[in-house]
Amino acid sequence: MNETLERILPKVQKPARYVGGEYNQTVKNKAQVDVRVAFCFPDTYEIGMSNLGMRILYAVMNRMEGVWCERVFTPWGDMEEELRKNHLPLYALESGDALSKFDMIAFSIGYEMSYTNVLNMLDLGGIPRRAADRKGLEHVVFVGGACAYNPEPLADFIDFFSLGEGEELTEEIVSLYRTAKHEGWSKEAFLLAVSKLEGIYVPSFYEHTYNADGTLQAITPLQGAPKRVTKRIMQNLDDALYPTDIIVPNTEIVHDRSNLEVMRGCIRGCRFCQAGFTYRPVRPRSPELLLRQAIELLENSGCHEITLSSLSTSDYKYLPELAQQMQDYCTPRKINLSLPSLRADNFSRELMLRLQQVRKSGLTFAPEAGTQRLRDAINKNVTEEEILETCSIAFEGGWNNVKLYFMLGLPTETDEDVLGIAELVYKILKTWREHASNKKRGVRIHVATAYFVPKPFTPFQWEKQITPEEYLRRQKLLKDNMPSKSIEYNWHASDLSRLEAVLARGDRRLCAVLEEAVNRGAKLDGWDEYFSYQTWLDSFAACGIDPDFYTTRGYGLDELLPWDVISDGVSTAFLKKERERAYRNETTPDCREQCSGCGANCLLKGGKCDA
Amino acid sequence: MRRMLFEKTGTAIWMSHLDTMRLMQRAFRRAGVVLHHSQGYTPHAYVSMLLPLSVGTESVCEIMEYELDAEIAITPEDMNAVLPQGVRVLRVYESDRKAKYLTELAVSLTMLYDHGVPDGAAGRISALLNSGGLYVEKRTKRGMEETDIRPMIHQTELSNEDDKIILTARISAQNPSLNPALLTAAIERYLPQDKPDFVRYRRLEVYDENGEVFR
C-alpha cells in the first residue's frame, strides 16, 4: 500500500471504505488488459456498493477479456481533505491507481444532488472537468443511470450518455472504444461512431438555442446525430447477465444483504413517479431462474438476508410460488427473506405477516396523498380501507409501529387534501385503540412529508412546483392539525427539494451554475453535513440564473423541453392524456388489467408486453 | 470451546471489530457452515473475538470463538478459500481454557522517523517505559482519565535502525487492557523530541498469566 495513504487512513472515519480488498473483487493482470474502466459512483461507498446497476455493469465489463473495470466512490469530506492536503489523486479501489491512469471513466448517476460529486471526483482524479478540455481519446467520460434521462445540466462535462439498461450497450461501448484505441482514432471519430449506437446521446452533437423569454427555441442535431435518442432495454430479462458472485463488502453498507431483481418496470403508473415510466415495459424474470440465482447469491455471499427487489414486488406475477420456494430454502438456514415495497392488498398482507418481517421494521405505507380524490389524481391506487384493514390485522397481531409517507405540493392539492393526511392518521390511531392486543406498549406512528418535485418523463413533467413558502405553510397546517402529540411528524427541508427540482428539469445553462457551485465548495449535497443552500443561491446569482424559471414557472405544454431529444419509449401524447386524467381525478387501470397504450411496448420485438 | 486462530494483515487491518465479526459470520456460511443462532426476534450467529482489535492494527494471533448446532469438520483451508485478502485462518481447534486467562499481549510498534531517528532516542524511550509513573489520558468506565500505564507494561525491548525504532512489548491484555497506541501517547507526552512521524502496530502473540502462549 502507498505509504502516504497508510498514514492518512488512521485519521479518517471508516477507512475500510478506501482500501478495497473485499471478497470477490475483480483483480486482473495489467499486462493482459488493454482497456481500463474506472466505474465511478458519485456518492459514498456505503451507498454505491448498495447499487444494483453498478453491481451488474461491473460484472458485464469484467467478463470481457482484456477489460478491467474497477470501482471509485466519492470520499467523505475528511478523506477528501486528506487526499488534497497530501496531493494524493483519487484512486480506484482494486489497483489503487489514480483516475488519470484509466482509459474510460464511467459514472452511474441516480440522484440529481450528486452532480457536484461528479465534478469533484474528476477534479480529485486530475481529469479536466469540461469535455472540451479533454482532447484525446484518453479519459473518455460517460454516464448512465436514471439521471441520464435529462442529461442537460451535465452536458458540458460528459462526453456521452448511455440511456436505459446497460447490459448489452455497455459492452458495445467498451468494444468500440477498444477498436478506437487500437486503431488510434481521434476523440471526434470515436464520438461520431459511438453516437451511432442505439441509446447513446452525445451532447456536443446538439446545439441549443433559446427564445427571448428564456425557453428553448430549438435543439439542432449536428454531425448527422439522431433527432431523438431512444433508451435501450433487455428484450428478455432471463437473458440479461445477473451476477451471483458479487463483491461482499468488508464494512457495513446501506443495503447489507443479497438482492434479487425479480422484474423491471411497474404496472401501476403513479403519475409522479419517474421510474414507473422510464423502466417500462414491464418484464418479469422467470421464477425458476430467480430461485437458482437466489441460492447462488446466498451461497456465494454468505449473507443471512435476501431482498426480492423491483419497483413493486407485490405485482411480480409469480410471487406466490417464488415466495413459497424461497421461504422453504431460507427458514431452515436462518436466512431472512425481505420484501420491500409491498402493497396493502390481501395477498401481500398475508405474506408480510407470514414472513414476520413487519416485526422488525413495522408497517410502512406510502399513500402519498391524504384524500382519495388526490390519490386518484396521482393514480396511487391504495385505498383507505386497505390501509386500515392491514393496520387492524397488524395491531391485533401485536404490532405497534406504523410509518406513513406523503408528499405535499402535488398538482391539484388543496388544504382539504393536506388536512386529509391528519384525518387518515387519526383513523389509524383509532384503529389501534380498537384493535390493539396490548395497549400498554403504546403505538408509534411516524408521518413524513416530502416536497413534491416534478420529474421529466412523467405526466407531471410540465407542472409548477409550489413555492417553498407555500410548502412550509401546508406543512405547518398539517403539523397544527395532527391528531395527537404522540405522532412523530418529520418533513423534508424545502431547500434541497427546490434545488432537486431545478436540476431535474434543468437545461444546459445550468452547467455553469453547477461548475460555479463546485468552485464555491459545493459537494455531497445529498448529505445534511455538507449541503449548503447559500452556496447554490450565490452560484445562481453569479451566473444570472433564476431558479424559479425551472420550478414555480412550470413548463408550457407546447414548450420545447430540454429532454425532448430523448425517448424512454413512452409517448408524450400518453403523458399528456395522463395529465388530463389527473386534472379530472380519474385513475388509469394498471397494465395487467388493461393496456392504456403508453407506447413502451414498441421497444419490444413483437410489440407485446408481458405485464 | 471451538476456536480459530487467524491473522489480519494488509488491507484487512482497516476493518473494525464489528466488521470482522460480520465478515466471519458470512465466511462460515460461504464455507457451508450454519452457526448456532441465538433465540429471539433477531437471531444472530454466535461468534466472538477474545480480544477486540483496533482499526489499523495488524495481528497474527487473533482468536475467535464460535458455536455449532451439529458436528461439522472445518479446516483452515475451508475458511481461507472464502476469506478476503489479509484474513487467514491458521488453526481450527478446541480449547477448554477460559478467555479470562488470556492476560498478556506481545505487540510491536514500528516507529518511523522521516528525518532519521533522533540521537539517543531509543535509549530515552527505553528508560521512559521502565521508569515509574507514566500518565496518559486513557478511556475508562468513568470516561477519559489520567491513568498510570506503567504497571500495564510488563517487558520492553527496542531495536534501532536509521529511520525507525522497533519497540516490542509485553503488555496487559485484559483487566486492565492497554491499547498499544498509548505507548506512543506516553512518548509524545514525555519525550516530544522523540515523537515518531508514524507508527505501525502489530499484535504478535497472546499469553496467559504464567507467560505461556494462550490458545
Side-chain angles (χ1 to χ4, degrees):
Chain A
M1 177 178 294
N2 177 311
E3 200 177 302
T4 314
L5 183 60
E6 184 193 5
R7 291 190 186 196
I8 288 174
L9 291 173
K11 299 184 201 172
V12 301
Q13 292 175 45
K14 304 187 199 160
R17 300 182 277 188
Y18 305 118
V19 295
E22 307 94 322
Y23 181 68
N24 268 338
Q25 73 168 1
T26 301
V27 173
K28 294 195 179 184
N29 179 351
K30 280 187 221 175
Q32 286 159 12
V33 164
D34 53 8
V35 177
R36 295 186 67 187
V37 183
F39 198 165
C40 303
F41 192 89
D43 211 319
T44 60
Y45 179 90
E46 295 92 315
I47 307 279
M49 285 301 288
S50 305
N51 183 278
L52 190 58
M54 186 157 185
R55 298 292 191 122
I56 293 173
L57 297 180
Y58 180 79
V60 164
M61 289 188 262
N62 280 322
R63 282 210 184 9
M64 296 174 72
E65 213 175 304
V67 175
W68 188 12
C69 170
E70 303 182 43
R71 296 160 298 149
V72 187
F73 300 97
T74 308
W76 192 242
D78 58 351
M79 183 63 173
E80 178 187 333
E81 198 179 309
E82 291 293 339
L83 289 175
R84 289 191 191 275
K85 208 164 71 190
N86 291 282
H87 308 289
L88 211 58
L90 185 63
Y91 57 89
L93 295 184
E94 282 79 357
S95 64
D97 286 341
L99 219 49
S100 56
K101 293 259 193 278
F102 288 78
D103 298 299
M104 310 188 82
I105 293 151
F107 282 92
S108 175
I109 314 182
Y111 181 34
E112 292 83 359
M113 299 317 295
S114 60
Y115 287 173
T116 49
N117 295 342
V118 174
L119 268 60
N120 206 24
M121 286 169 82
L122 291 174
D123 281 358
L124 282 166
I127 311 279
R129 282 176 193 168
R130 290 195 162 258
D133 295 334
R134 297 187 299 265
K135 304 286 186 198
L137 198 58
E138 53 169 19
H139 308 149
V140 165
V141 179
F142 67 109
V143 164
C147 284
Y149 285 111
N150 179 21
E152 296 309 326
L154 289 168
D156 291 352
F157 313 106
I158 307 302
D159 293 307
F160 64 93
F161 292 83
S162 164
L163 300 168
E165 295 166 10
E167 283 97 338
E168 291 170 342
L169 183 53
T170 308
E171 190 173 346
E172 293 165 24
I173 294 167
V174 176
S175 297
L176 184 68
Y177 182 90
R178 168 187 264 160
T179 307
K181 189 181 173 185
H182 285 191
E183 296 179 359
W185 298 4
S186 68
K187 180 176 176 180
E188 289 66 30
F190 171 70
L191 288 180
L192 200 58
V194 86
S195 76
K196 309 280 187 228
L197 296 178
E198 228 176 288
I200 296 294
Y201 171 69
V202 180
S204 59
F205 289 172
Y206 297 83
E207 190 180 49
H208 286 213
T209 47
Y210 300 91
N211 295 309
D213 64 1
T215 55
L216 262 178
Q217 184 184 49
I219 302 175
T220 315
L222 311 168
Q223 317 241 26
K227 268 211 174 84
R228 204 151 190 218
V229 181
T230 303
K231 76 161 187 216
R232 287 283 287 271
I233 61 158
M234 291 303 295
Q235 291 291 324
N236 182 343
L237 276 201
D238 283 359
D239 298 337
L241 174 67
Y242 198 78
T244 53
D245 53 343
I246 61 173
I247 299 173
V248 185
N250 279 346
T251 186
E252 197 170 11
I253 59 170
V254 181
H255 296 295
D256 213 358
R257 56 190 84 97
S258 292
N259 197 338
L260 191 66
E261 188 194 28
V262 297
M263 65 172 178
R264 280 186 198 161
C266 177
I267 62 170
R268 298 286 159 182
C270 300
R271 295 181 178 129
F272 54 86
C273 176
Q274 190 187 44
F277 294 95
T278 55
Y279 282 88
R280 290 181 180 214
V282 172
R283 287 149 296 151
R285 274 202 171 87
S286 66
E288 302 77 33
L289 178 65
L290 285 171
L291 184 66
R292 205 158 65 231
Q293 286 172 338
I295 294 170
E296 280 177 29
L297 273 170
L298 288 164
E299 285 181 350
N300 292 339
S301 68
C303 285
H304 67 278
E305 186 169 1
I306 185 162
T307 297
L308 302 186
S309 73
S310 76
L311 293 171
S312 177
T313 298
S314 303
D315 293 323
Y316 173 60
K317 264 185 168 175
Y318 312 104
L319 187 61
E321 54 206 274
L322 180 65
Q324 187 58 55
Q325 287 171 325
M326 290 282 295
Q327 209 186 346
D328 292 346
Y329 177 83
C330 291
T331 308
R333 294 170 178 81
K334 300 186 173 79
I335 292 166
N336 297 326
L337 175 58
S338 90
L339 295 131
S341 62
L342 282 187
R343 295 174 52 75
D345 59 23
N346 282 323
F347 168 71
S348 306
R349 197 151 44 218
E350 187 262 328
L351 185 65
M352 190 157 62
L353 299 178
R354 181 151 52 96
L355 296 176
Q356 297 232 325
Q357 56 175 19
V358 274
R359 208 174 278 280
K360 273 195 287 182
S361 56
L363 293 167
T364 303
F365 298 103
E368 308 294 0
T371 59
Q372 197 57 46
R373 200 277 311 159
L374 186 52
R375 282 194 294 272
D376 287 347
I378 62 174
N379 204 36
K380 179 81 193 186
N381 294 310
V382 58
T383 64
E384 190 172 288
E385 294 70 47
E386 286 173 330
I387 293 171
L388 296 180
E389 174 67 11
T390 306
C391 283
S392 65
I393 294 172
F395 292 148
E396 274 162 14
W399 287 283
N400 63 341
N401 193 356
V402 182
K403 284 185 205 151
L404 296 157
Y405 296 107
F406 298 94
M407 280 190 267
L408 292 178
L410 286 162
T412 75
E413 184 181 66
T414 63
D415 284 358
E416 195 189 327
D417 298 307
V418 176
L419 295 172
I421 296 174
E423 271 166 53
L424 179 60
V425 172
Y426 175 71
K427 284 175 188 163
I428 291 174
L429 201 58
K430 223 173 84 189
T431 305
W432 176 77
R433 287 196 192 116
E434 287 161 8
H435 293 272
S437 58
N438 181 1
K439 287 209 182 77
K440 278 191 206 119
R441 289 172 64 208
V443 65
R444 274 180 304 179
I445 303 179
H446 301 257
V447 177
T449 56
Y451 179 5
F452 173 63
V453 176
K455 294 266 169 146
F457 298 95
T458 68
F460 293 154
Q461 65 175 353
W462 298 276
E463 296 303 312
K464 295 178 160 85
Q465 187 182 42
I466 60 171
T467 64
E469 296 74 26
E470 176 59 16
Y471 166 72
L472 292 172
R473 188 192 68 79
R474 293 185 197 181
Q475 174 263 307
K476 188 169 180 306
L477 178 69
L478 178 55
K479 186 172 166 36
D480 292 344
N481 284 281
M482 273 297 175
S484 157
K485 286 208 165 57
S486 67
I487 311 286
E488 196 185 309
Y489 174 36
N490 299 303
W491 56 91
H492 287 196
S494 62
D495 305 346
L496 197 69
S497 304
R498 181 179 184 230
L499 199 54
E500 191 184 323
V502 172
L503 293 171
R505 293 192 293 177
D507 55 31
R508 231 166 239 208
R509 290 171 297 190
L510 291 179
C511 294
V513 179
L514 187 58
E515 189 164 33
E516 181 69 26
V518 172
N519 288 341
R520 288 170 186 260
K523 63 175 165 211
L524 295 163
D525 293 300
W527 298 84
D528 285 345
E529 293 93 324
Y530 287 97
F531 178 61
S532 159
Y533 190 44
Q534 196 54 49
T535 301
W536 280 94
L537 294 181
D538 293 345
S539 306
F540 281 114
C543 297
I545 295 222
D546 177 9
D548 287 343
F549 180 81
Y550 304 95
T551 57
T552 55
R553 177 182 72 94
Y555 289 64
L557 284 173
D558 298 322
E559 187 178 330
L560 179 64
L561 303 171
W563 54 94
D564 273 344
V565 67
I566 282 160
S567 168
D568 64 352
V570 176
S571 74
T572 309
F574 174 75
L575 296 181
K576 283 187 177 163
K577 216 162 69 191
E578 279 293 293
R579 180 179 175 277
E580 284 161 20
R581 293 175 80 99
Y583 277 93
R584 293 200 302 268
N585 305 324
E586 279 175 26
T587 59
T588 296
D590 69 60
C591 302
R592 201 162 288 161
E593 198 182 326
Q594 185 198 317
C595 174
S596 299
C598 72
N601 58 315
C602 297
L603 298 170
L604 290 166
K605 290 188 185 93
K608 196 156 172 3
C609 291
D610 183 19
Chain B
M1 284 157 284
R2 299 171 196 276
R3 284 184 185 154
M4 281 188 191
L5 178 75
F6 69 97
E7 61 176 36
K8 212 172 146 198
T9 61
T11 51
I13 69 172
W14 304 105
M15 264 187 269
S16 71
H17 168 65
L18 286 176
D19 290 338
T20 312
M21 299 267 285
R22 202 164 22 233
L23 170 83
M24 287 300 186
Q25 287 168 353
R26 288 183 178 165
F28 274 108
R29 280 189 182 275
R30 292 198 288 262
V33 178
V34 177
L35 293 168
H36 172 69
H37 277 64
S38 67
Q39 299 295 311
Y41 281 159
T42 47
H44 60 273
Y46 181 79
V47 166
S48 90
M49 303 292 160
L50 264 49
L51 216 54
L53 183 66
S54 302
V55 174
T57 303
E58 207 178 37
S59 175
V60 293
C61 58
E62 291 305 287
I63 297 175
M64 169 176 65
E65 229 168 72
Y66 60 98
E67 279 180 21
L68 299 175
D69 283 329
E71 204 57 45
I72 307 168
I74 312 171
T75 65
E77 292 71 32
D78 295 336
M79 292 298 285
N80 291 334
V82 293
L83 282 166
Q85 62 186 57
V87 182
R88 210 163 65 90
V89 172
L90 306 170
R91 219 185 122 194
V92 180
Y93 62 100
E94 296 206 21
S95 170
D96 52 13
R97 305 217 61 196
K98 286 188 176 154
K100 67 176 181 186
Y101 297 119
L102 194 174
T103 56
E104 198 178 54
L105 184 59
V107 293
S108 77
L109 283 73
T110 304
M111 302 190 276
L112 305 180
Y113 295 85
D114 294 344
H115 308 289
V117 176
D119 275 345
R124 284 190 295 275
I125 292 171
S126 180
L128 174 74
L129 297 177
N130 288 296
S131 67
L134 210 54
Y135 288 87
V136 293
E137 285 271 304
K138 184 179 187 297
R139 191 184 303 278
T140 69
K141 282 172 190 148
R142 293 171 298 276
M144 295 303 281
E145 261 183 19
E146 283 281 307
T147 310
D148 182 7
I149 61 166
R150 179 63 190 85
M152 303 170 212
I153 306 169
H154 303 162
Q155 192 185 316
T156 59
E157 205 175 292
L158 279 94
S159 74
N160 198 352
E161 286 171 39
D162 285 352
D163 58 350
K164 63 183 165 213
I165 292 174
I166 296 172
L167 163 63
T168 314
R170 293 265 192 117
I171 59 176
S172 176
Q174 301 190 84
N175 303 316
S177 65
L178 177 63
N179 184 334
L182 293 181
L183 296 173
T184 313
I187 294 168
E188 278 189 45
R189 175 180 243 186
Y190 291 95
L191 301 168
Q193 74 279 17
D194 296 330
K195 172 183 175 301
D197 292 294
F198 186 71
V199 184
R200 288 192 190 111
Y201 300 93
R202 185 180 170 95
R203 273 187 185 170
L204 303 172
E205 190 51 277
V206 282
Y207 300 95
D208 64 14
E209 69 282 14
N210 302 318
E212 301 288 332
V213 168
F214 178 93
R215 288 292 179 267

